[in-house]
Amino acid sequence: MEHVPALDEDLKKTLGPATAKVLAEQLGLHTALDLLHHYPRRYAERGELTSLAELADQIDEHVTVVAQVADARVLTFNGGRGKRLEVTITDGSGRLQLVFFGAGVHKPHKELLPGSRAMFAGKVSRFNHKLQLAHPAYEPLGADASDRDAASAFANQLIPIYPACAKLESWKIAKCVDAVLPSAQEAVDPLPAALREGRGLVPLTEALLKIHRPATKADIEHARQRLKWDEAFVLQVALARRRHADAQLPAVPRRPAPGGLLDAFDAKLPFTLTEGQQKVSKEIFDDLATSHPMHRLLQGEVGSGKTMVALRAMLAVVDSGGQAAMLAPTEVLAQQHHRSVVEMMGELAEGGMLGGSDQGTKVVLLTGSMGMPARRQALLDLVTGEAGIVIGTHALIEDKVQFHDLGLVVVDEQHRFGVEQRDALRSKGKQPPHLLVMTATPIPRTVAMTVFGDLETSVLDQLPAGRSPIATHVVPAKDKPHFLARAWERVREEVEKGHQAYVVCPRIGDGEDDAKNGKKKAAAADDPDKRPPLAVLEVAEQLARGPLAGLSVEVLHGRMDPADKDDVMRRFTAGEVKVLVATTVIEVGVNVPNSTVMVIMDADRFGVSQLHQLRGRVGRGSAPGLCLLVSEMHEASPARARLAAVAATLDGFELSRIDLEQRREGDVLGQAQSGVRSSLRMLAVIEDEEVIAQAREEATRVVAEDPALERLPGLRTALDALLDTEREQYLEKG
């Protein structure tokens, strides 16, 4: 009897060590179950002409195409000593050249005859302005004698095209899938039977067979719908269990004392809070007053006043006798937050004892680069309770940092921190502290439900009074150099009016990153598209000597000495420095209301959300803001379309949708944050909004009825498989 691999069996046993090694190293597939969840990217049909026209956007990528041979010819070179086979293939939408050299020309010359069809896989390159695949692997789809059975089996059905790699083409992966497909019968169905039947979904085994070997397009649709539900539901159950577990944890309720620090702070505010700020503050204060920890995500447009809301929450906790810690991703941002909190609080930040409403409390800064005496004093203030508020970087997480009574953790720009870092800070409370996570990167509702599904969400979408609109324009530096010259004139005009400017570059330009770009510089001599990104140090020097001569131009980047960074930022804030040439260290939190103009060089090198973040640094005062996106990309390029989208709207939520649609699916769970591959293979968080919302409802209901999932062993197994320990921790989001 044929061996049916167990779902958790290592692929070495079924496929042999060499193939298993490639699947593990290149595609992260280790077991039969992993391979069953490696779904086809698309399907080619017999007679269908798959699109060669789309290959222009896939230079240097591995692709699989199904096409017909139009012509083939052998050419000689080196006086007849060298041979080259050139094969032109077509699919009706375009033509592509294949090249084979040396001894490698004989077999394809015999097999790839004009009129024959095959699948071809290789890396797309450009040679003499033409697209080509050099030495592609191929699988005939004709009636070749040796391959007749395999080819006809392939050619008479929908052909799955799998995400592949250089060492393993799509059709070889298909053969690997064939070897493990019988084990799909053993797959444990995670969906409760009532849910599956109520939603009209096919059983899991059937879905796996249909996704890999469909007979019709309807098979593919049924399978996809079912597999999307699996991913959405299992993920939402994990999050619902996390919410349920958090609701059982004890926490100290923190209520502001009447006539205390918060009231004193509110009384001296020179403006009234926006309706949005008042509403969100109420949600936060209600959470803080409960006896289990708050877990809240505060999303706010750039400049919507999140820091004010977070500060009032921190003051409420200090009022109740606790301490609050704010974790910022960079020293520049931690120092900026510290400065602005101290400014907003005035004499209330110079307090003596914790909870003393007359003099307020102490606000301390803790960063890795502080001198020993200042650091020792800050640590002492925290452990004694003298300091009610601490603002810091990763330095807050170190073992030696101890609190008197940590009641609230505020995490700024949450996507910059790993789970372990947030947990390490939370574990410093005697009981679990309340948690407020802030982000200025707007997140579409479904992403919030997927990525932050265990956090309650508050949204600040109103700009405070006095904030000015920002006009954004694309500056096509290559097509219209006079536009760039005009951009520098505009910077000079703003400075002459008493304002300040930022110029942002993608690279620093010191020795370290120059070494990486040495090759690019050499290539740039032949092809201007390959030049390295513009650098802060070079651009600052050119501006100071050229279009901005006579203005005080300074640089700011991440490799500067922290004291120098702080000095530059302080002088820029004070208005002494007129033009700050910086990397994205200024992306979040930097608040200089007098800055009215920003020029972003090589803007096409930044993501949509990042451009939106950067732009939010200007127009923070009463004068209108101007953001100029400089790019050398040609008008028809996808990069220019992205820049045009940023210029067209100030709505961060709209831009975040565009950003997500343009990035590849699977980035959503933030590979960088979690260190593990995204578990989303079939679910598209933007398109499948409805499935995610329904799955969340079903998951919440299931967990409320049976938190330990005792009556649903299949679901428990799926949770263990899909959410290994790392991923479950990642989902904690604090």
Side-chain angles (χ1 to χ4, degrees):
M1 191 179 132
E2 196 184 335
H3 168 67
V4 176
L7 289 172
D8 58 357
E9 189 172 289
D10 194 298
L11 289 169
K12 277 187 208 133
K13 286 191 184 172
T14 320
L15 306 174
T19 303
K21 186 175 183 221
V22 175
L23 286 168
E25 288 176 1
Q26 302 285 315
L27 298 168
L29 307 173
H30 303 275
T31 65
L33 187 67
D34 290 344
L35 189 48
L36 286 174
H37 284 301
H38 186 69
Y39 306 130
R41 179 179 283 149
R42 59 187 179 82
Y43 301 83
E45 297 174 70
R46 182 176 176 79
E48 177 208 27
L49 299 175
T50 58
S51 177
L52 292 181
E54 292 166 13
L55 293 186
D57 294 333
Q58 299 185 51
I59 301 294
D60 288 340
E61 288 195 26
H62 288 277
V63 299
T64 302
V65 296
V66 178
Q68 187 165 352
V69 176
D71 63 65
R73 55 204 175 121
V74 175
L75 306 172
T76 56
F77 53 94
N78 276 357
R81 289 195 301 278
K83 281 188 174 178
R84 181 168 86 243
L85 170 64
E86 287 185 359
V87 178
T88 305
I89 59 172
T90 179
D91 66 355
S93 74
R95 292 167 87 80
L96 178 66
Q97 192 168 58
L98 317 177
V99 288
F100 301 86
F101 294 98
V105 306
H106 304 301
K107 187 168 180 278
H109 192 211
K110 278 194 303 202
E111 292 181 339
L112 299 177
L113 302 171
S116 63
R117 283 170 57 76
M119 289 199 289
F120 303 92
K123 192 176 182 181
V124 183
S125 59
R126 201 187 286 279
F127 181 72
N128 280 345
H129 305 296
K130 278 188 183 166
L131 292 179
Q132 70 168 28
L133 299 183
H135 278 283
Y138 62 90
E139 178 89 344
L141 292 178
D144 186 274
S146 62
D147 265 338
R148 188 177 295 125
D149 295 344
S152 65
F154 250 151
N156 285 321
Q157 53 187 289
L158 290 157
I159 304 164
I161 307 288
Y162 287 93
C165 59
K167 293 182 181 171
L168 211 58
E169 296 87 14
S170 170
W171 54 86
K172 288 185 182 164
I173 293 173
K175 287 174 182 170
C176 296
V177 170
D178 282 338
V180 299
L181 206 51
S183 61
Q185 302 293 344
E186 310 299 314
V188 181
D189 201 321
L191 293 191
L195 188 160
R196 196 182 69 234
E197 287 154 19
R199 301 262 170 200
L201 300 168
V202 299
L204 178 58
T205 296
E206 190 182 325
L208 289 170
L209 294 172
K210 283 181 169 175
I211 200 75
H212 289 291
R213 298 294 173 262
T216 64
K217 287 185 177 176
D219 281 357
I220 300 169
E221 195 41 53
H222 292 151
R224 278 189 171 150
Q225 201 53 27
R226 163 62 214 243
L227 295 167
K228 281 178 181 183
W229 254 94
D230 275 19
E231 286 177 12
F233 182 69
V234 173
L235 197 53
Q236 291 301 335
V237 167
L239 294 165
R241 289 183 80 192
R242 174 69 48 207
R243 290 195 300 274
H244 187 271
D246 285 340
Q248 315 307 309
L249 287 174
V252 178
R254 308 283 181 176
R255 294 184 184 85
L261 183 55
L262 179 62
D263 285 351
F265 175 76
D266 283 348
K268 65 191 279 300
L269 277 181
F271 52 82
T272 48
L273 298 174
T274 65
E275 251 176 70
Q277 285 174 316
Q278 289 172 9
K279 176 174 149 286
V280 169
S281 289
K282 182 180 184 311
E283 290 169 351
I284 291 170
F285 291 152
D286 288 350
D287 282 358
L288 289 173
T290 62
S291 54
H292 59 84
M294 164 172 82
H295 287 90
R296 191 165 281 281
L297 170 69
L298 173 56
Q299 287 192 67
E301 271 290 12
V302 178
S304 57
K306 290 183 302 301
T307 311
M308 172 61 69
V309 169
L311 175 56
R312 293 183 72 245
M314 293 196 285
L315 294 176
V317 169
V318 174
D319 247 355
S320 71
Q323 289 167 295
M326 181 186 253
L327 187 58
T330 64
E331 293 212 350
V332 167
L333 191 50
Q335 287 160 345
Q336 176 81 32
H337 274 318
H338 181 254
R339 257 196 304 271
S340 60
V341 164
V342 168
E343 274 167 28
M344 285 195 273
M345 287 176 66
E347 71 280 2
L348 296 174
E350 298 155 10
M353 287 309 295
L354 188 64
S357 59
D358 295 335
Q359 301 101 337
T361 188
K362 211 171 192 180
V363 179
V364 299
L365 175 69
L366 188 64
T367 64
S369 65
M370 281 168 73
M372 236 13 248
R375 189 179 173 75
R376 251 199 302 271
Q377 184 59 53
L379 291 172
L380 186 65
D381 288 343
L382 287 178
V383 75
T384 59
E386 188 88 2
I389 294 176
V390 58
I391 295 164
T393 54
H394 301 77
L396 280 176
I397 295 164
E398 289 169 15
D399 290 346
K400 40 173 107 64
V401 179
Q402 293 188 343
F403 290 83
H404 177 66
D405 178 15
L406 180 61
L408 171 66
V409 173
V410 178
V411 180
D412 192 27
E413 286 310 315
Q414 118 78 31
H415 60 282
R416 305 281 189 96
F417 291 99
V419 174
E420 301 77 22
Q421 295 162 321
R422 292 192 297 275
D423 279 354
L425 184 53
R426 285 179 66 200
S427 67
K428 293 181 181 291
K430 294 187 176 73
Q431 282 198 331
H434 298 280
L435 175 73
L436 180 64
V437 168
M438 298 199 297
T439 177
T441 307
I443 303 164
R445 175 172 156 264
T446 42
V447 183
M449 282 197 296
T450 309
V451 183
F452 300 102
D454 58 335
L455 300 175
E456 299 301 324
T457 305
S458 295
V459 178
L460 270 179
D461 47 15
Q462 268 178 304
L463 287 187
R467 287 299 301 266
S468 304
I470 305 167
T472 308
H473 303 285
V474 179
V475 177
K478 207 171 187 177
D479 313 344
K480 299 177 178 170
H482 59 288
F483 275 36
L484 183 58
R486 176 70 188 120
W488 301 127
E489 283 172 20
R490 283 292 288 115
V491 169
R492 200 174 261 287
E493 286 164 16
E494 287 299 309
V495 171
E496 280 163 7
K497 287 183 199 164
H499 298 307
Q500 290 158 277
Y502 297 102
V503 177
V504 180
C505 303
R507 188 166 68 91
I508 298 171
D510 58 2
E512 280 189 53
D513 70 8
D514 276 346
K516 291 179 204 162
N517 284 289
K519 286 182 190 161
K520 286 190 183 173
K521 278 189 173 163
D526 308 323
D527 184 352
D529 285 350
K530 290 186 178 162
R531 70 161 172 76
L534 292 170
V536 166
L537 300 177
E538 293 159 15
V539 168
E541 196 183 324
Q542 288 161 9
L543 292 176
R545 281 205 319 262
L548 303 183
L551 303 182
S552 57
V553 176
E554 295 261 2
V555 300
L556 181 72
H557 60 76
R559 286 208 202 105
M560 285 166 66
D561 180 86
D564 294 343
K565 273 195 277 197
D566 199 36
D567 177 57
V568 169
M569 209 53 229
R570 189 185 48 71
R571 288 187 294 116
F572 186 63
T573 307
E576 295 163 28
V577 173
K578 298 302 178 191
V579 179
L580 188 63
V581 184
T583 55
T584 54
V585 290
I586 60 151
E587 180 186 343
V588 288
V590 172
N591 182 27
V592 181
N594 192 42
S595 302
T596 54
V597 61
M598 175 179 284
V599 182
I600 303 179
M601 307 303 291
D602 279 345
D604 47 90
R605 311 257 182 169
F606 299 96
V608 169
S609 294
Q610 202 172 23
L611 291 170
H612 183 58
Q613 286 284 315
L614 285 165
R615 162 171 70 182
R617 301 302 112 216
V618 295
R620 298 178 80 86
S622 53
L626 173 66
C627 178
L628 301 173
L629 308 174
V630 179
S631 171
E632 291 190 359
M633 300 303 277
H634 59 85
E635 199 168 354
S637 65
R640 278 284 292 277
R642 215 169 57 233
L643 297 183
V646 175
T649 179
L650 288 171
D651 181 341
F653 286 92
E654 175 59 29
L655 286 174
S656 69
R657 285 187 83 94
I658 294 167
D659 194 19
L660 233 115
E661 282 160 6
Q662 289 184 342
R663 282 189 293 141
R664 296 198 169 165
E665 203 54 68
D667 285 356
V668 173
L669 282 190
Q671 208 164 340
Q673 292 179 40
S674 62
V676 292
R677 291 176 36 157
S678 160
S679 59
L680 300 190
R681 294 181 177 88
M682 190 60 78
L683 198 68
V685 287
I686 288 287
E687 292 161 30
D688 298 321
E689 193 159 346
E690 211 171 298
V691 174
I692 292 167
Q694 290 169 359
R696 183 179 166 107
E697 272 174 41
E698 294 275 12
T700 306
R701 188 178 52 72
V702 164
V703 171
E705 289 169 10
D706 181 9
L709 307 179
E710 284 167 2
R711 298 191 293 280
L712 297 166
L715 179 53
R716 270 213 317 277
T717 309
L719 268 181
D720 294 342
L722 264 179
L723 303 169
D724 51 34
T725 321
E726 273 185 292
R727 215 174 272 137
E728 181 120 38
Q729 279 178 344
Y730 161 59
L731 285 169
E732 279 184 12
K733 286 288 162 292

